[in-house]
Amino acid sequence: MCLALVLTSCGGSSSGTSSSKTSKNTLYVGTTNAPAGFNPINETDVAGQWILRMLYPSLLDQPKSLHFQGSLAKSFTTTDNQHYTITLRNAKWSDGKAITADDVAYTLNLIGNPDVETSYGANIARLEGVDGSGKTSSSSTTISGVRVVNSKTLTLTTKAPIDPNYVKEMIGFDLVIVPKHVAEQYNPKDLANSKFTSHPTVSGSAYKFVKYNQNSYVRLKANPTYYKGKAKINNVYIKILTSNTLVTQLKSGSIDMTAGGGISTIPVADVERSLKTDKSLTVKGAPYLQTQYMYINNDKFTNKNMRLAMTYAINRQAIVKKLFRGEADVLPTTYTKATKYYNSNLKALPYNVAKAKALLKKSGYDGHTIQLIVPTGNIARQQSASLIQQDLEKAGFKVKQVSYDFPTALAKMKSGDYELGLLGLSLNSDPDQTYLYTKAGSMNFGKVNDAKLTQMFSDGLSEKSTAKRKQTYDDIQKYMRDQAFTVGLYSDYPFVIQNKNLQGGNNSFWVGSLYDMQDWTKK
């Protein structure tokens, strides 16, 4: 979710003479974001979600946007877009127990349990038997739309026919499967604070959890029972570093690759001056689904004119030019160019101080000092915060930056204990954002509660035609821009950086990159 960027060189030679000094049997990955935890059903930070993919299996892989292939699921089929049959391959957990359809059903029912806190309620909200937030009527109720046929087969039934790609992404790919025999040892109410989420003991993906030295590193070890085969690289160290140190260790060969995906963005100046000229490294960048927003607490800023005033006041193009040297796009709303549902005809509201002042006057702003939450540990966000504060003050707002470490900032925004806050997200290929901008949404940090928007999202979900869905989401983006529920700031181009000695690694569709991690090797 976070970005890190500085405009000074980290030093070091750019002669291209550096080479990997790490063991062929150990992969060293650099990230600037510490994971908030390892809760497979309630992880909202990208760093934690990324690591969980190395520990727990998903039904499907998505190596390219909206291109799905079997992972734990041998097949995932439907004949009417409402009834889905999932057949599992033969697979085992790291403790030797079989991974079965009961594990999959348990995971879905756990998410649907009203006693369980989860960030994935929206993923299952279209299933028969849950409400709009993805919850059943009581903790003892199982989801009627989930039925175990036998140990290797289960069926899913949605409330109405739906785009199969939505089901495949939101349930097949987005969710990871929980080992029932481990998780059921805990009271569901206490699961979030249990050893299960802080120190996973059983894995079903390429690696097993070994240790988390907080804010320093996460250590993993190859899972010998992984159904795709034991990983060729036995050990993984995910090192949590400052952006300066990450650049230095890439050049020295102490780091094999960056984590990518907005959780290890390298300073643009260093990418251009130091890393792109280093012959031992490969450096690639492209538009992606990651975004940065200025969240507005809509419970506290109910007046549309005030929210629009904030949007017109911020010179987003200047932020992109100054901080990213053009390696980013200004966001009209909350969608990026990397999704085929992006409304390319919609322009971002322009920087216009005079209009911002007029709207602010019309809004009845009382002149109080507004607090802007800025998570620490991210130089780019901190630099953009200062620019945003200056712009807002030019328009007549009074603004004070308040800094917290990332987990604290996220918790405050999640609870609604804030006015404005800077945060980034890595979105899905599917355009549904019900979980972000409706009252029942599990990640509705902006506290948006707009009946028209909720209905528009419902219409978008119900439409089975891709062309008609595109038109619906074009309309949604225009409405969101004009209502200014949140300020889309920018979508930067994440750089995929790694040593040439590594065979494998991240690809341009970052979130799906780990599907073949077991086959990565080092020379």
Side-chain angles (χ1 to χ4, degrees):
M1 286 187 182
C2 307
L3 302 177
L5 181 146
V6 290
L7 301 179
T8 57
S9 173
C10 292
S13 169
S14 60
S15 63
T17 58
S18 64
S19 60
S20 179
K21 298 178 181 178
T22 60
S23 164
K24 293 181 180 179
N25 208 29
T26 301
L27 178 69
Y28 288 93
V29 183
T31 179
T32 53
N33 281 43
F38 307 101
N39 188 337
I41 61 166
N42 193 38
E43 204 58 53
T44 55
D45 71 290
V46 179
Q49 293 170 345
W50 184 67
I51 294 171
L52 283 168
R53 288 200 171 275
M54 303 180 198
L55 301 176
Y56 296 105
S58 59
L59 293 169
L60 299 173
D61 289 322
Q62 188 181 185
K64 296 181 180 179
S65 180
L66 296 180
H67 286 76
F68 301 97
Q69 63 186 40
S71 185
L72 178 60
K74 186 165 60 175
S75 64
F76 196 119
T77 60
T78 181
T79 57
D80 61 2
N81 295 352
Q82 185 173 10
H83 300 84
Y84 296 80
T85 300
I86 301 168
T87 304
L88 306 184
R89 67 160 81 194
N90 292 323
K92 292 182 179 180
W93 296 105
S94 60
D95 61 1
K97 293 186 179 295
I99 304 177
T100 70
D102 284 327
D103 292 305
V104 180
Y106 177 81
T107 301
L108 298 175
N109 283 313
L110 197 61
I111 293 170
N113 187 329
D115 289 341
V116 175
E117 185 178 4
T118 178
S119 56
Y120 293 105
N123 291 64
I124 67 169
R126 304 299 292 181
L127 290 177
E128 183 182 88
V130 296
D131 61 21
S133 63
K135 293 297 183 180
T136 57
S137 58
S138 73
S139 59
S140 61
T141 304
T142 57
I143 300 173
S144 59
V146 178
R147 186 173 71 89
V148 173
V149 178
N150 55 50
S151 64
K152 296 300 179 187
T153 310
L154 73 154
T155 62
L156 304 180
T157 303
T158 57
K159 297 169 184 174
I162 193 172
D163 183 352
N165 278 341
Y166 176 86
V167 180
K168 289 179 179 181
E169 179 163 29
M170 300 298 279
I171 294 178
F173 175 72
D174 256 11
L175 302 183
V176 294
I177 306 305
V178 169
K180 178 178 182 288
H181 66 287
V182 178
E184 68 182 357
Q185 298 176 38
Y186 302 92
N187 187 317
K189 293 181 180 180
D190 303 326
L191 197 64
N193 299 313
S194 69
K195 187 178 180 182
F196 175 70
T197 61
S198 63
H199 193 283
T201 57
V202 175
S203 167
S205 190
Y207 287 90
K208 299 189 299 181
F209 180 88
V210 177
K211 182 178 181 180
Y212 176 33
N213 190 329
Q214 194 163 9
N215 296 319
S216 179
Y217 67 86
V218 178
R219 182 185 173 192
L220 309 176
K221 187 174 183 178
N223 172 16
T225 69
Y226 185 39
Y227 51 83
K228 293 183 183 179
K230 183 180 177 181
K232 293 180 172 61
I233 300 177
N234 196 53
N235 304 293
V236 175
Y237 280 86
I238 301 163
K239 300 173 69 174
I240 302 157
L241 307 167
T242 65
S243 56
N244 288 351
T245 304
L246 179 53
V247 170
T248 300
Q249 294 201 15
L250 276 167
K251 291 184 65 60
S252 70
S254 300
I255 291 291
D256 298 305
M257 62 178 284
T258 59
I263 56 175
S264 60
T265 300
I266 295 293
V268 172
D270 288 328
V271 171
E272 294 178 348
R273 182 164 48 238
S274 297
L275 300 181
K276 282 187 176 180
T277 59
D278 192 318
K279 295 180 180 179
S280 70
L281 302 172
T282 58
V283 180
K284 299 177 182 178
Y288 185 53
L289 296 169
Q290 66 183 31
T291 55
Q292 283 289 332
Y293 309 133
M294 184 181 80
Y295 270 92
I296 300 173
N297 188 329
N298 284 246
D299 277 348
K300 299 182 179 181
F301 296 102
T302 58
N303 190 296
K304 179 180 75 171
N305 291 320
M306 192 177 298
R307 300 194 304 267
L308 283 168
M310 294 175 180
T311 307
Y312 279 109
I314 299 172
N315 192 341
R316 292 173 283 177
Q317 196 62 54
I319 293 174
V320 167
K321 183 177 180 180
K322 184 173 183 179
L323 300 185
F324 295 96
R325 301 188 179 189
E327 296 284 343
D329 296 316
V330 171
L331 294 176
T333 58
T334 62
Y335 291 79
T336 80
K337 291 180 179 178
T339 171
K340 67 180 181 180
Y341 292 94
Y342 177 75
N343 186 347
S344 59
N345 295 319
L346 189 68
K347 305 301 181 185
L349 296 180
Y351 173 56
N352 189 325
V353 178
K355 189 157 188 174
K357 287 181 176 180
L359 286 165
L360 183 59
K361 184 177 181 179
K362 188 177 178 180
S363 74
Y365 170 55
D366 61 8
H368 81 279
T369 299
I370 300 170
Q371 290 194 346
L372 171 65
I373 287 183
V374 184
T376 58
N378 185 318
I379 297 174
R381 182 154 34 223
Q382 291 169 225
Q383 289 180 334
S384 72
S386 296
L387 296 174
I388 290 167
Q389 179 182 2
Q390 293 168 19
D391 286 345
L392 291 173
E393 290 178 341
K394 285 179 186 176
F397 290 98
K398 294 180 181 178
V399 180
K400 178 183 178 182
Q401 291 186 46
V402 183
S403 297
Y404 298 98
D405 61 75
F406 181 77
T408 303
L410 182 62
K412 281 186 168 291
M413 294 178 67
K414 189 174 183 180
S415 69
D417 183 20
Y418 79 103
E419 292 180 288
L420 303 177
L422 300 187
L423 194 66
L425 294 176
S426 183
L427 302 173
N428 297 313
S429 296
D430 189 272
D432 178 58
Q433 294 187 3
T434 304
Y435 65 109
L436 296 173
Y437 300 109
T438 64
K439 184 178 180 179
S442 58
M443 293 176 64
N444 182 14
F445 302 153
K447 307 305 173 186
V448 178
N449 183 16
D450 184 270
K452 180 177 179 178
L453 181 63
T454 299
Q455 184 60 52
M456 293 174 83
F457 275 126
S458 178
D459 292 343
L461 277 171
S462 300
E463 182 54 64
K464 299 181 289 297
S465 163
T466 299
K468 291 182 179 179
R469 283 194 87 197
K470 176 69 169 65
Q471 182 57 58
T472 299
Y473 287 100
D474 280 354
D475 295 342
I476 285 173
Q477 290 168 67
K478 184 178 186 305
Y479 184 69
M480 293 184 73
R481 182 200 66 178
D482 296 344
Q483 295 296 315
F485 298 117
T486 190
V487 181
L489 294 173
Y490 53 83
S491 174
D492 73 307
Y493 304 162
F495 289 103
V496 175
I497 305 172
Q498 64 185 57
N499 196 288
K500 290 180 180 178
N501 285 340
L502 176 63
Q503 307 301 304
N506 288 327
N507 56 43
S508 57
F509 186 67
W510 174 79
V511 73
S513 295
L514 300 180
Y515 78 99
D516 63 349
M517 191 177 185
Q518 73 283 349
D519 295 324
W520 298 1
T521 59
K522 289 171 61 177
K523 292 181 180 178

